[in-house]
Amino acid sequence: MVRHFAVFGFYSVFYGESGTLPRWSRRLCRGDHLMQLVRTLRALHPPRPRFSDPQPASFAGSGGVALRADRLGWEEDGHRILNTISLMAEPGDIIGIIGPNGAGKSSLLRLLYRFVQPTTGSVRIDREDIWAISAAAFARKVAVVLQEFPADFGLRACEVVETGRIPHQSGWAASNRRDREIVFDAMETVGVRALADRDFASLSGGEKQRVLLARAIAQQPELLILDEPTNHLDIGYQFECLRLVRDLPMTVIASIHDLNIAATYCDRLYCLDHGRMVASGNPDDVLTPDLIRKVYGVNALCDTHPFTGRLRITFDPN
Amino acid sequence: MAGLPDADRRVCRAGRSFLILVTDDMKMKRTLRDCSLGLLLAALAVVLLLSITFAVAFGPVPIPALQVWKIALHHVWPDLLVPDWSKGRDSIVWDIRFPRVVLGAIVGAGLAVVGTVLQGITRNKLADPHLLGVSSGAAMGAVVVLLHIGMIFGGMTLPLGAFAGALLATMIIAGLAGRSGGTPDRLILLGVAVSFVLGAMTSLLIFMADHRASHVVVFWMLGGLGTAQWQNLWFPVGVLMVGLLYLQFRARHLNALMSGEETAATLGIEVGNVRLQLFVICALVTGTMVSVSGMIGFVGLMVPHIVRQLAGADHRRVLPLAGLGGAIFLIWADVAARTILKPEDMPIGIITGLVGGLFFIWITLRHRG
């Protein structure tokens, strides 16, 4: 019995909890005798299973969630910004919101991610009004990537990603081992694991965008809302970013400037103009030369993309 | 080591190898940012203890370091030691120097922590209770109490008045900033403006009051730890502890606020509410510290900045480290204040203002480059 306790004590100090001990104390254990003992103990006691989920930690959410916005309207200082907009996303869909500058894309997204309350209409996620649940409960379901970067205070990339765990933490509890696993899994998913210890401010635009995406993934949401995710990214990163997003098992709603990207990656498109929904449906149905001329004032040719087989839009600069 | 008995030699050898291990480990890491928080806190706590010892031992009557702690131990636990020191020394150490040094540590820690939080909320490295007008508000509250109302609630009147003033200042700033869109830069600009307005009103109050009372107030406003007494310490200690516990609980939210308000809101934080709570706590801590020590500027600006540079920007690390750092800094600033114009006590606000102002210039120049 006593020996059992002693063995368990050593086991938990040198193996089980070694991640939580300060590094110097682990170094202290590097004396040959102690290491020999640790090796023996490890051989005797195979590592216990970790108490994290069997599935990959970052994808604990299901395949996504349904969102339904009904006749949304929003006024600011008496100006009608958005007018009776209805929108629907099925689980796992990628929804694109397009429209010219000032059409109300960002305002619509703000209504969807519960930053401002609509003047009329409602947004429901799985039949539940988003204003009927708490901000933290909402944040456990919906993650958002904005064009807003952390102030240059020297936060590291992994610390920025770790803020994604906040809606799952309560009280005094600091991040535990599971939180850290989720953070590093999320960084692995978007390929920024190697940047974990870098200053966020020192990263390039594409790296920053991916770190923020990792934060959203660490939030383990069922719905991901992206505000112009491809802005400021070079062409390679644009495709990479959207490929990443497409492979995530969640519903995605993104406002997108580039019509070709929208046509390539979205299941459904909603087109806004002057705060009104002017078209919605499959990319092929929405992105017609007529609509592009009407909304953007540009002549365009729509045909099939030779590589992807999806819609391709060629603009006439004149 | 040759002349030592065997046991002592073993202890020395063990201590030395432990030190080698620790320093070796520090060298292995690129910076202090990779050190665990526990190790850094332990190191700073040791420095704090040494600083307290030195600050108490140092003075016109030098006292051996060991005796300092013997006297302290004797007062905490009277039966443990037989006093082998004079009554006079006892009184110098326990009644005069110890409260002063402890007060310095508390005020330094409080101001540094408040500075950290204000810089986090405003997302601006130059925020500080002094610059944002919180200290000016506290000073005005205290001056109103000292010169015009009197101690109507006994000893608590001064801290309460200072807290009310600090709260008033923060509410004015937060209200104005909220009305105008509330970007962090605007918060700073409004804070500076409010600071000037309140400073002017304080000067007016002093100008209109009785001359002799005014002299006392002016001296107090320059900042000083000379009035420290044990019975006045408990309130600031309590406020500091409550404030620290609460702020540590909010540390992760401060990290999220770094990313901007909208992002913080999408992380499930009720930004307006949290910011209001943080402002109130900052006002409480600042008000208390100003009421016991006057206006001591720039501690809240400098210390968080240095800590961030050395130990990383995660608020869960910065808050406790800045607290310890501020305590150490102010203890040494007070030692300087006692020494430079010996035997005269120099107001400590002059020292921190001088060092802080130069530091401010340095930050600004670095920002450009």
Side-chain angles (χ1 to χ4, degrees):
Chain A
M1 180 70 188
V2 172
R3 215 185 62 187
H4 209 84
F5 261 115
V7 167
F8 182 75
F10 267 112
Y11 169 68
S12 56
V13 168
F14 293 121
Y15 192 76
E17 303 298 330
S18 65
T20 62
L21 285 174
R23 292 215 191 120
W24 57 268
S25 68
R26 270 182 284 155
R27 253 181 89 73
L28 264 182
C29 313
R30 266 187 212 158
D32 281 345
H33 310 293
L34 280 176
M35 275 319 281
Q36 195 51 51
L37 184 62
V38 172
R39 271 186 222 112
T40 322
L41 285 169
R42 276 186 185 174
L44 284 174
H45 292 248
R48 64 183 159 184
R50 302 204 163 186
F51 49 86
S52 55
D53 290 349
Q55 71 226 52
S58 47
F59 298 146
S62 61
V65 75
L67 176 136
R68 203 189 165 95
D70 264 333
R71 305 177 64 75
L72 283 179
W74 185 52
E75 286 177 13
E76 194 183 38
D77 303 332
H79 292 287
R80 206 151 183 81
I81 312 280
L82 293 173
N83 237 327
T84 51
I85 289 174
S86 297
L87 182 146
M88 234 177 71
E90 299 295 337
D93 269 0
I94 296 186
I95 305 288
I97 295 174
I98 54 173
N101 288 334
K105 298 190 295 287
S106 297
S107 305
L108 175 59
L109 288 185
R110 279 186 172 169
L111 294 183
L112 298 183
Y113 60 77
R114 202 182 177 277
F115 189 67
V116 285
Q117 209 157 0
T119 323
T120 57
S122 66
V123 181
R124 275 172 290 167
I125 288 181
D126 272 346
R127 299 207 198 91
E128 201 172 18
D129 193 298
I130 56 170
W131 287 94
I133 56 176
S134 73
F138 180 78
R140 284 192 286 272
K141 283 189 179 172
V142 180
V144 187
V145 178
L146 300 172
Q147 294 294 318
E148 196 179 46
F149 290 138
D152 180 14
F153 269 54
L155 273 183
R156 297 177 187 203
C158 62
E159 287 158 356
V160 171
V161 177
E162 210 178 328
T163 57
R165 297 304 301 157
I166 289 174
H168 298 270
Q169 296 167 337
S170 64
W172 296 85
S175 299
N176 55 25
R177 186 148 50 120
R178 187 167 143 63
D179 285 327
R180 279 194 292 272
E181 265 170 36
I182 292 169
V183 164
F184 286 120
D185 277 359
M187 297 188 88
E188 191 82 64
T189 307
V190 297
V192 289
R193 179 73 174 76
L195 306 176
D197 284 339
R198 292 264 303 275
D199 264 7
F200 183 84
S202 74
L203 302 178
S204 73
E207 289 166 339
K208 281 182 181 170
Q209 191 76 21
R210 280 190 291 169
V211 169
L212 293 187
L213 191 59
R215 167 169 70 194
I217 294 171
Q219 224 170 313
Q220 299 185 316
E222 293 171 284
L223 170 65
L224 183 61
I225 295 180
L226 307 166
D227 189 9
E228 312 213 342
T230 53
N231 234 2
H232 312 305
L233 295 189
D234 65 40
I235 191 77
Y237 272 136
Q238 287 188 14
F239 289 129
E240 195 183 310
C241 172
L242 278 151
R243 264 203 312 274
L244 259 169
V245 168
R246 189 182 56 191
D247 295 339
L248 294 174
M250 32 187 111
T251 314
V252 177
I253 298 179
S255 63
I256 296 174
H257 253 308
D258 187 319
L259 298 184
N260 276 306
I261 291 224
T264 310
Y265 289 99
C266 295
D267 300 314
R268 286 172 72 79
L269 289 182
Y270 288 88
C271 180
L272 288 183
D273 191 21
H274 294 298
R276 288 171 193 280
M277 189 75 81
V278 290
S280 64
N282 293 329
D284 298 312
D285 301 335
V286 172
L287 292 171
T288 57
D290 276 352
L291 180 107
I292 294 171
R293 192 177 320 112
K294 205 178 89 192
V295 173
Y296 292 92
V298 177
N299 286 323
L301 169 75
C302 297
D303 58 0
T304 307
H305 196 286
F307 298 160
T308 62
R310 299 191 66 133
L311 182 69
R312 176 176 68 173
I313 304 156
T314 315
F315 299 103
D316 176 7
N318 304 314
Chain B
M1 228 157 76
L4 289 174
D6 253 9
D8 280 9
R9 214 153 49 199
R10 267 204 300 277
V11 171
C12 282
R13 215 178 294 141
R16 200 177 55 188
S17 35
F18 177 76
L19 268 182
I20 289 172
L21 265 174
V22 172
T23 47
D24 220 34
D25 193 59
M26 285 188 166
K27 265 183 250 156
M28 247 173 50
K29 288 165 189 150
R30 277 166 298 138
T31 51
L32 290 175
R33 304 177 67 175
D34 299 302
C35 283
S36 73
L37 178 59
L39 186 66
L40 290 177
L41 282 180
L44 276 187
V46 169
V47 176
L48 177 63
L49 271 182
L50 291 177
S51 306
I52 289 177
T53 313
F54 178 82
V56 173
F58 176 80
V61 185
I63 289 163
L66 196 61
Q67 205 170 51
V68 166
W69 289 108
K70 272 189 186 164
I71 293 173
L73 197 62
H74 177 69
H75 279 272
V76 177
W77 203 344
D79 301 330
L80 204 67
L81 290 171
V82 182
D84 57 355
W85 50 83
S86 68
K87 261 229 164 74
R89 283 197 162 194
D90 190 283
S91 157
I92 287 176
V93 167
W94 190 250
D95 296 332
I96 298 174
R97 288 192 197 162
F98 239 110
R100 179 176 183 146
V101 171
V102 172
L103 182 68
I106 294 167
V107 171
L111 292 177
V113 167
V114 168
T116 311
V117 174
L118 289 178
Q119 288 173 13
I121 304 178
T122 57
R123 298 175 74 192
N124 192 317
K125 284 177 190 164
L126 303 181
D128 148 72
H130 213 65
L131 194 76
L132 273 185
V134 185
S135 296
S136 317
M140 192 178 80
V143 166
V144 168
V145 167
L146 283 173
L147 295 182
H148 298 270
I149 298 181
M151 300 292 187
I152 43 174
F153 305 116
M156 291 288 289
T157 324
L158 195 59
L160 278 179
F163 170 54
L167 196 61
L168 180 76
T170 42
M171 290 303 121
I172 292 175
I173 298 161
L176 288 175
R179 173 178 280 215
S180 65
T183 57
D185 285 345
R186 217 164 255 268
L187 211 62
I188 295 278
L189 286 176
L190 288 167
V192 172
V194 168
S195 168
F196 275 111
V197 172
L198 293 178
M201 284 166 73
T202 312
S203 303
L204 183 67
L205 285 173
I206 295 173
F207 184 70
M208 284 174 6
D210 168 46
H211 272 298
R212 251 170 308 166
S214 301
H215 183 75
V216 175
V217 169
V218 168
F219 190 75
W220 166 81
M221 266 182 60
L222 288 174
L225 304 167
T227 53
Q229 283 173 335
W230 281 115
Q231 67 262 28
N232 298 339
L233 283 185
W234 302 119
F235 184 65
V237 168
V239 167
L240 180 65
M241 287 303 142
V242 171
L244 276 180
L245 282 179
Y246 174 78
L247 293 174
Q248 194 64 27
F249 162 67
R250 286 289 179 206
R252 58 170 186 264
H253 300 139
L254 278 170
N255 280 349
L257 278 170
M258 295 277 76
S259 303
E261 284 174 30
E262 206 159 332
T263 304
T266 67
L267 291 169
I269 298 165
E270 282 159 24
V271 177
N273 196 355
V274 168
R275 200 162 54 182
L276 189 69
Q277 290 176 18
L278 287 171
F279 266 138
V280 170
I281 289 289
C282 285
L284 177 65
V285 175
T286 309
T288 311
M289 298 312 158
V290 167
S291 77
V292 290
S293 66
M295 304 258 278
I296 298 179
F298 282 118
V299 180
L301 171 73
M302 243 184 314
V303 175
H305 191 81
I306 296 172
V307 170
R308 262 196 217 100
Q309 290 274 310
L310 294 179
D314 186 344
H315 281 89
R316 289 166 302 185
R317 288 162 70 84
V318 177
L319 282 172
L321 291 174
L324 281 173
I328 294 165
F329 171 75
L330 211 60
I331 288 176
W332 285 101
D334 188 45
V335 168
R338 283 187 290 165
T339 317
I340 292 176
L341 292 183
K342 227 165 21 177
E344 201 73 27
D345 239 11
M346 194 164 139
I348 193 170
I350 296 177
I351 305 263
T352 58
L354 210 62
V355 178
L358 294 174
F359 185 74
F360 202 98
I361 293 171
W362 180 64
I363 293 188
T364 318
L365 291 181
R366 263 177 53 121
H367 263 261
R368 264 185 61 207

